């Protein structure tokens, strides 16, 4: 009888593992995230479609009617946290701004990575989690004495659950704290408060929108001019700059520091294990200590390079910094270079910035947020039997046909040049190769930088032309916009092709 019961339990466990697990567990993560972003973008499109735009605004395009391609483009741009724009932001009503805020939050890397981590935890959450138990003795004997479990073991599922709570708490605290700081500043600054009032923007909506957009590294701002109208508000820029780093390039090191602090305060062994064995949890943003330090050094190294180039070319005798004190210049320039990786908010008109600086921005936008300088030599795994390097594995068909990410970007730029060839011939100053490249790389990097469109740069002046404060893509054809939508999705999911093109050998 006992053997029959044991057989029943084994059969139940087998059936659960083989047939009862959700189908999503067996689907590649790329397809899961692609479907997620497509679904959120479509829902966002419907929300923006059924809600009415602003009936009156300080915007020159207040009577502009949103068409379907522009609505969907805006939804995709918010969901992929790209902030590429085809219409002016002041066209959107308060309800639409709230919808865009939700899209940015749901599409942000911190939130989506937490969902991915939770899905991974569900895979471990079976009837018996014994196959994913980790002995606390692996941490250290002294730390295991701080808190002992009944069986001296921690399940990987519980570790991931605790990490999800830490990420969620981090997300909530930064959002609430950041929104409160911005709202307090705006309330104490009469000039900023009056500016929002003239533009018909609610202070609380603006504060929440700005903080969510900054933390998710999206770059949308409810004003047509982005952050240019606040370039002399140094305190506000410092707050926004900090949020940019906490949600972007320094998110991983900050998360590690937070877990270290929680471990010191609570004395729980789980936090120590997370720090010592980050790869066990499968969360890419939680890195080993050495990797975190290299990442921090790389981030500030890139900032220093950009700062030096920017100051050398634009600090003196430049229209973009006219009327600003040295401190306002310093904060504004640092804000601009921090936003380049990868929030996309801007305090300067990029169309009048030196082309050399734009090239530097293009390079910075191309690098993913996790890029770090690694001066140490990687060790190859050796075959213990022969003493030689491990046998080279054959690449799959998919790996063989994949190009590098740079190759795809070149293809996208060529396609856009073909589609917009009439604009390139008739309006070469606005539709220059440099401006198109900046637009494409910005969309790929999910940044949102653009030189915009200026009637003054037209070779053949037209009386019907009106300047508008949105991206250059707003003047592209429908097919050009569709190509850039694909680029935004490609950029948001670029981590799945980060090693693409390795089947190609050029030397």
């Amino acid at each position: 009888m006992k053997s029959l019961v044991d057989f029943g339990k084994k059969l139940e466990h087998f059936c659960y593992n083989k047939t009862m697990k959700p189908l999503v567990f067996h689907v590649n993560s790329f397809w899961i995230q692609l479907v997620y972003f497509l679904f959120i973008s479509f829902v966002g499109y419907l929300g923006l479609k059924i809600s009415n735009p602003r009936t009156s605004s300080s915007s020159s395009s207040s009577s502009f009617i949103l068409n379907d391609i522009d609505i969907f483009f805006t939804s995709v741009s918010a969901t992929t946290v790209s902030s590429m724009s085809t219409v002016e932001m002041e066209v959107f009503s308060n309800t639409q701004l709230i919808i865009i805020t939700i899209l940015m939050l749901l599409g942000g890397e911190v939130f989506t990575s937490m969902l991915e981590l939770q899905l991974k935890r569900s895979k471990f959450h079976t009837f018996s989690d014994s196959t994913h138990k980790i002995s606390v003795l692996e941490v250290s004997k002294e730390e295991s004495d701080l808190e002992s479990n009944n069986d001296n073991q921690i399940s990987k599922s519980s570790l991931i659950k605790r990490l999800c709570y830490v990420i969620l708490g981090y997300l909530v605290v930064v959002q609430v704290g950041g929104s409160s700081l911005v709202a307090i500043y705006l309330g104490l600054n009469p000039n900023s408060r009056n500016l929002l009032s003239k533009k018909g923007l609610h202070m609380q909506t603006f504060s929440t929108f700005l903080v969510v957009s900054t933390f998710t590294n999206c770059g949308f701002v409810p004003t047509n001019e982005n952050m240019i109208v606040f370039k002399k508000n140094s305190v506000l820029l410092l707050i926004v700059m900090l949020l940019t780093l906490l949600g972007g390039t320094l998110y991983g090191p900050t998360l590690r520091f937070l877990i270290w602090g929680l471990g010191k305060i609570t004395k729980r062994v789980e936090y120590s294990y997370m720090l010592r064995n980050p790869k066990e949890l499968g969360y890419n943003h939680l890195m080993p200590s050495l990797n975190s330090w290299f990442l921090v050094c790389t981030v500030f190294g890139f900032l220093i390079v950009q700062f030096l180039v920017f100051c050398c070319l634009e600090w003196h005798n430049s229209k973009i910094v006219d009327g600003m004190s040295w401190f306002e210049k310093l904060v504004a320039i640092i804000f601009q270079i921090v936003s380049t990786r990868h929030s996309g908010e801007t305090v300067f008109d990029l169309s009048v910035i030196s082309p050399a600086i734009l090239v530097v921005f293009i390079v910075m936008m191309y690098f993913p947020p996790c890029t770090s300088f690694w001066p140490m030599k990687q060790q190859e795994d050796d075959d213990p039997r022969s003493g030689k390097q491990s046998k080279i594995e054959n690449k799959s068909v998919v790996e063989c046909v994949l190009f590098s990410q740079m190759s795809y970007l070149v293809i996208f730029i060529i396609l856009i040049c073909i589609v917009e060839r009439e604009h390139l011939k008739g309006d070469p100053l606005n539709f220059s190769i440099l401006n198109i490249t900046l637009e494409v790389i910005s969309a790929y990097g999910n940044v949102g930088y653009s030189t915009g469109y200026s009637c003054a740069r037209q070779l053949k002046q037209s009386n019907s032309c009106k300047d508008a404060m949105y991206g250059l893509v707003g003047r592209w054809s429908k097919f050009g916009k569709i190509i850039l939508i694909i680029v935004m999705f490609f950029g948001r999911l670029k981590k799945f092709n980060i090693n693409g093109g390795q089947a190609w050998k050029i030397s």
Side-chain angles (χ1 to χ4, degrees):
M1 185 66 181
K2 182 179 179 180
S3 59
L4 185 61
V5 173
D6 293 337
F7 174 79
K9 290 182 178 180
K10 292 180 180 179
L11 180 62
E12 181 184 27
H13 181 69
F14 174 83
C15 292
Y16 178 84
N17 285 334
K18 299 298 182 182
T19 63
M20 298 300 290
K21 279 189 176 181
L23 180 62
V24 71
F25 290 169
H26 304 285
V27 179
N28 189 285
S29 296
F30 169 80
W31 297 109
I32 295 176
Q33 293 199 27
L34 178 60
V35 171
Y36 173 81
F37 287 120
L38 286 171
F39 176 76
I40 298 298
S41 298
F42 182 71
V43 172
Y45 160 78
L46 294 178
L48 294 174
K49 178 73 173 177
I50 63 177
S51 55
N52 297 321
R54 236 191 264 195
T55 56
S56 61
S57 168
S58 62
S59 170
S60 60
S61 61
S62 57
S63 60
F64 182 78
I65 299 176
L66 295 173
N67 56 49
D68 288 340
I69 185 64
D70 288 328
I71 295 175
F72 185 69
F73 188 98
T74 302
S75 179
V76 172
S77 187
T79 303
T80 59
V81 293
S82 301
S83 74
M84 306 298 295
S85 60
T86 58
V87 296
E88 294 179 327
M89 289 301 297
E90 291 178 27
V91 168
F92 298 109
S93 64
N94 190 69
T95 301
Q96 290 177 320
L97 290 178
I98 294 175
I99 294 174
I100 295 175
T101 303
I102 296 174
L103 293 177
M104 292 187 296
L105 181 63
L106 296 179
E109 177 62 22
V110 176
F111 184 83
T112 56
S113 65
M114 183 179 66
L115 292 182
E116 187 178 8
L117 189 62
Q118 184 63 31
L119 180 62
K120 186 174 296 186
R121 172 180 173 261
S122 300
K123 295 180 181 181
F124 296 133
H125 195 65
T126 58
F127 285 118
S128 175
D129 203 20
S130 59
T131 58
H132 301 290
K133 292 281 188 178
I134 302 167
S135 173
V136 296
L137 297 178
E138 296 178 20
V139 183
S140 74
K141 190 175 187 306
E142 294 180 359
E143 291 175 342
S144 64
D145 291 336
L146 296 177
E147 178 185 317
S148 58
N149 298 333
N150 293 331
D151 56 356
N152 285 332
Q153 288 184 329
I154 309 171
S155 70
K156 190 173 290 188
S157 175
S158 64
L159 281 172
I160 295 179
K161 179 180 179 181
R162 188 171 296 277
L163 179 58
C164 286
Y165 284 147
V166 173
I167 298 171
L168 180 61
Y170 178 78
L171 179 65
V172 172
V173 170
V174 173
Q175 298 292 333
V176 175
S179 300
S180 301
L181 286 176
V182 173
I184 291 173
Y185 174 82
L186 295 176
L188 296 176
N189 191 298
N191 293 331
S192 300
R193 190 169 61 249
N194 293 336
L195 175 65
L196 296 181
S197 179
K198 289 180 181 179
K199 291 180 174 291
L201 297 171
H202 296 81
M203 183 185 298
Q204 192 56 52
T205 301
F206 177 86
S207 302
T208 305
F209 186 103
L210 179 62
V211 170
V212 171
S213 178
T214 302
F215 182 76
T216 59
N217 278 202
C218 180
F220 272 143
V221 179
T223 59
N224 289 339
E225 305 88 351
N226 204 275
M227 293 295 289
I228 295 178
V229 291
F230 299 106
K231 67 179 181 180
K232 293 187 178 181
N233 299 89
S234 299
V235 175
L236 178 61
L237 295 184
L238 289 172
I239 296 173
V240 174
M241 195 189 312
L242 178 61
L243 294 172
T244 299
L245 294 172
L246 292 178
T249 52
L250 295 184
Y251 166 59
T254 305
L255 178 63
R256 183 176 178 86
F257 177 77
L258 176 61
I259 294 175
W260 174 82
L262 290 173
K264 292 295 183 181
I265 295 173
T266 63
K267 307 297 183 182
R268 295 187 68 93
V269 69
E270 291 94 330
Y271 297 122
S272 298
Y273 188 87
M274 290 180 191
L275 296 179
R276 290 176 178 270
N277 305 274
K279 293 184 179 180
E280 290 288 334
L281 302 178
Y283 188 59
N284 294 332
H285 294 291
L286 183 58
M287 299 171 287
S289 177
L290 189 59
N291 298 57
S292 298
W293 281 112
F294 281 149
L295 178 57
V296 171
C297 292
T298 303
V299 169
F300 284 101
F302 282 158
L303 293 180
I304 292 173
V305 171
Q306 293 182 81
F307 179 79
L308 293 176
V309 174
F310 204 110
C311 288
C312 289
L313 297 176
E314 300 290 350
W315 184 273
H316 298 291
N317 303 322
S318 177
K319 294 182 180 180
I320 63 174
V321 294
D322 283 347
M324 301 176 67
S325 66
W326 71 268
F327 182 73
E328 291 171 344
K329 286 183 186 180
L330 180 65
V331 174
I333 291 175
I334 296 177
F335 177 89
Q336 189 68 65
I337 61 178
V338 168
S339 297
T340 305
R341 303 188 66 225
H342 288 265
S343 69
E345 290 155 331
T346 179
V347 290
F348 300 122
D349 183 359
L350 298 185
S351 65
V352 297
I353 288 181
S354 170
I357 296 178
L358 293 182
V359 173
V360 173
F361 284 175
I362 289 173
V363 174
M364 292 297 111
M365 291 187 297
Y366 175 76
F367 289 133
C370 58
T371 300
S372 63
F373 175 66
W374 190 262
M376 302 176 65
K377 186 177 180 180
Q378 297 283 356
Q379 297 292 332
E380 298 286 345
D381 291 333
D382 294 334
D383 188 339
R385 292 173 296 179
S386 63
K388 300 180 180 180
Q389 291 185 356
S390 300
K391 184 175 67 174
I392 299 176
E393 296 182 357
N394 292 328
K395 293 180 173 64
S396 66
V397 176
V398 175
E399 291 174 325
C400 289
V401 300
L402 287 178
F403 295 114
S404 66
Q405 298 192 31
M406 181 61 75
S407 300
Y408 286 116
L409 292 176
V410 172
I411 293 173
F412 286 131
I413 292 173
I414 293 173
L415 288 176
I416 291 173
C417 289
I418 294 174
V419 171
E420 306 297 334
R421 58 187 179 277
E422 295 300 325
H423 284 133
L424 268 75
K425 293 179 181 178
D427 196 3
L429 296 183
N430 280 303
F431 285 82
S432 67
I433 298 299
L434 177 60
N435 291 349
I436 291 177
T437 301
L438 178 72
E439 205 87 5
V440 173
I441 300 298
S442 180
Y444 161 80
N446 305 126
V447 179
Y449 276 174
S450 175
T451 55
Y453 186 91
S454 174
C455 297
R457 293 198 295 267
Q458 289 183 332
L459 295 182
K460 297 179 180 179
Q461 297 294 324
S462 173
N463 294 330
S464 61
C465 180
K466 293 183 179 180
D467 287 324
M469 305 188 76
Y470 49 75
L472 178 62
V473 65
R475 298 297 180 106
W476 292 7
S477 64
K478 181 183 297 185
F479 292 107
K481 293 176 181 178
I482 292 175
I483 293 175
L484 207 66
I485 287 176
I486 297 174
V487 175
M488 287 190 288
F489 278 120
F490 175 67
R492 189 65 182 86
L493 298 170
K494 57 179 169 284
K495 64 182 180 181
F496 293 103
N497 186 41
I498 203 69
N499 296 317
Q502 290 189 351
W504 297 84
K505 297 295 182 182
I506 59 177
S507 63

